[in-house]
Amino acid sequence: MIKVEHLKKYYGDFLAVNDLSFEIGEGAVYGFLGPNGAGKSTTMNIITGCLSPTEGKVTVSGYDILEEPIRAKRMIGYLPEHPPLYQQETPVEYLRFVGQAKGLRGEKLEKAIESVIELTGIQSVSGRLISALSKGYQQRVGIAQALLGDPEVIILDEPTVGLDPIQIIEIRDLIKKLGENHTVIFSSHILSEVQTICEKVLIIAKGELIAFDTPENLEKIEQEKCAVHLTVLGGPEETVQALSEFFGEESGRYSIDDSASEEPSDTTKVRIQTDGGDTKALCRDLFFHFAAKNLALTEMTTERASLEKIFVELTEQSAEREVEKK
């Protein structure tokens, strides 16, 4: 569907996108993540043909975005971070203008407008001036214009920025619905949103691709960094003895939290590093082991590798590699 090959973009001496390559298939929702200044918007603008790359190639369904721009752009609907809405027009008037710019005419145009208005849920405001609409409805109008012409690919740059929680949920549900019949790429700073909606996640930093996988696989990659936290009704010595018997030579798997000064003196807090195996089984075995030692566990929690944690670790690693290069 979309193939990005060795993409580079310079702004003067500043390298915004650095040898970026990836492929996106049909009919799925892709999340595009990266810290501010990572090159997300630049990459999206290049894919949509709004910006020319310094080097590299982008093809959409086999059409080169530079050599066959009209054919390639017909495949794409784009919502920029700042939607180009005409404030003194109504949504219907604006959508009619956009539809005509996309080559729609007559009954086909009117049916397309009716369809996207219904899909984005803006029927009740379709006759009001865009300037009088809330931020959430303006975003919906922006998405509606991206849908005109029924493009195969929908690219949304920060579609939920500036929205309230209810509006975010509504746009999130709309994106999931669009993913049923379109390939959707959207960028967001709300990591839980990406984890909820997306089937695959691209993470970039300093203009370079540092991860491209499903949220589940990204979690598995970081699984060894997950941990189990215990609060043991017992002193440090007897707790360490029980842990030593349980783990044997793997003494490096656990550590005692000495910072918990507010805890009662007969309570010990422990952090146990997992090994990427069955965490539930580990918790069960720990519970029965401590019970056999007459040591009660007053608390047991697991620390999972959330997408947010994975994102932070990967971007920090990228920053460290950049420093090492210098």
Side-chain angles (χ1 to χ4, degrees):
M1 175 57 68
I2 296 178
K3 189 173 184 180
V4 175
E5 300 177 80
H6 304 292
L7 210 61
K8 285 189 178 183
K9 179 61 180 180
Y10 281 93
Y11 294 106
D13 295 330
F14 176 69
L15 181 59
V17 177
N18 184 14
D19 198 28
L20 192 61
S21 297
F22 58 85
E23 290 190 43
I24 287 177
E26 296 184 18
V29 180
Y30 292 79
F32 202 24
L33 294 176
N36 288 330
K40 301 188 301 298
S41 293
T42 296
T43 301
M44 287 184 162
N45 280 323
I46 292 173
I47 291 174
T48 56
C50 297
L51 192 65
S52 297
T54 305
E55 296 179 22
K57 181 180 181 181
V58 175
T59 55
V60 183
S61 288
Y63 301 119
D64 190 298
I65 197 69
L66 295 180
E67 296 181 1
E68 300 176 276
I70 294 178
R71 288 186 172 182
K73 291 177 182 180
R74 280 177 179 162
M75 313 291 293
I76 299 173
Y78 182 37
L79 173 70
E81 184 177 355
H82 304 289
L85 304 178
Y86 294 157
Q87 299 293 316
Q88 298 308 308
E89 292 186 346
T90 66
V92 170
E93 292 170 339
Y94 172 70
L95 292 172
R96 185 170 291 119
F97 166 76
V98 173
Q100 289 171 348
K102 291 187 175 185
L104 300 175
R105 297 291 185 273
E107 186 179 353
K108 187 175 182 181
L109 171 61
E110 297 307 316
K111 284 186 176 180
I113 293 172
E114 184 180 342
S115 175
V116 298
I117 284 177
E118 181 179 354
L119 184 59
T120 54
I122 58 175
Q123 299 98 317
S124 62
V125 299
S126 62
R128 295 169 55 186
L129 290 179
I130 291 174
S131 60
L133 303 184
S134 68
K135 174 71 172 175
Y137 273 116
Q138 290 195 22
Q139 286 291 79
R140 287 173 178 267
V141 174
I143 294 174
Q145 65 80 25
L147 294 173
L148 280 172
D150 196 27
E152 295 185 20
V153 180
I154 308 295
I155 298 180
L156 311 172
D157 193 358
E158 300 284 355
T160 60
V161 68
L163 304 185
D164 65 38
I166 294 176
Q167 292 170 335
I168 288 174
I169 292 171
E170 291 173 346
I171 296 297
R172 182 187 301 169
D173 291 341
L174 175 57
I175 292 171
K176 290 173 72 173
K177 187 175 181 180
L178 292 176
E180 296 173 3
N181 299 303
H182 303 269
T183 297
V184 180
I185 306 168
F186 83 100
S187 65
S188 174
H189 287 297
I190 305 174
L191 303 184
S192 59
E193 179 175 79
V194 172
Q195 196 162 18
T196 301
I197 299 175
C198 297
E199 295 165 60
K200 285 196 174 181
V201 179
L202 298 89
I203 302 177
I204 68 171
K206 301 290 185 181
E208 297 180 354
L209 185 68
I210 56 176
F212 185 13
D213 213 327
T214 65
E216 295 75 18
N217 285 342
L218 287 173
E219 285 186 14
K220 288 178 183 178
I221 292 171
E222 294 292 305
Q223 192 68 41
E224 293 187 8
K225 298 176 183 176
C226 296
V228 176
H229 294 268
L230 307 179
T231 301
V232 183
L233 193 59
E237 291 186 6
E238 52 190 333
T239 299
V240 169
Q241 179 63 33
L243 290 168
S244 297
E245 293 176 8
F246 184 86
F247 287 108
E249 296 180 359
E250 296 182 278
S251 58
R253 288 274 301 279
Y254 58 86
S255 60
I256 304 298
D257 184 0
D258 297 323
S259 64
S261 57
E262 296 181 2
E263 294 292 330
S265 58
D266 61 345
T267 299
T268 305
K269 284 190 171 290
V270 182
R271 183 181 189 278
I272 300 170
Q273 192 73 47
T274 64
D275 61 358
D278 189 342
T279 303
K280 288 184 180 179
L282 174 64
C283 291
R284 180 195 61 219
D285 294 343
L286 282 166
F287 175 84
F288 286 115
H289 177 74
F290 275 87
K293 297 296 179 182
N294 292 319
L295 292 170
L297 298 179
T298 60
E299 187 177 16
M300 177 184 288
T301 59
T302 56
E303 173 191 320
R304 294 191 58 80
S306 66
L307 187 59
E308 181 173 351
K309 182 179 178 182
I310 294 165
F311 173 78
V312 171
E313 293 216 4
L314 289 172
T315 51
E316 285 180 348
Q317 290 170 11
S318 175
E320 288 172 2
R321 288 195 297 268
E322 191 69 21
V323 171
E324 288 174 359
K325 289 179 184 178
K326 295 179 180 178

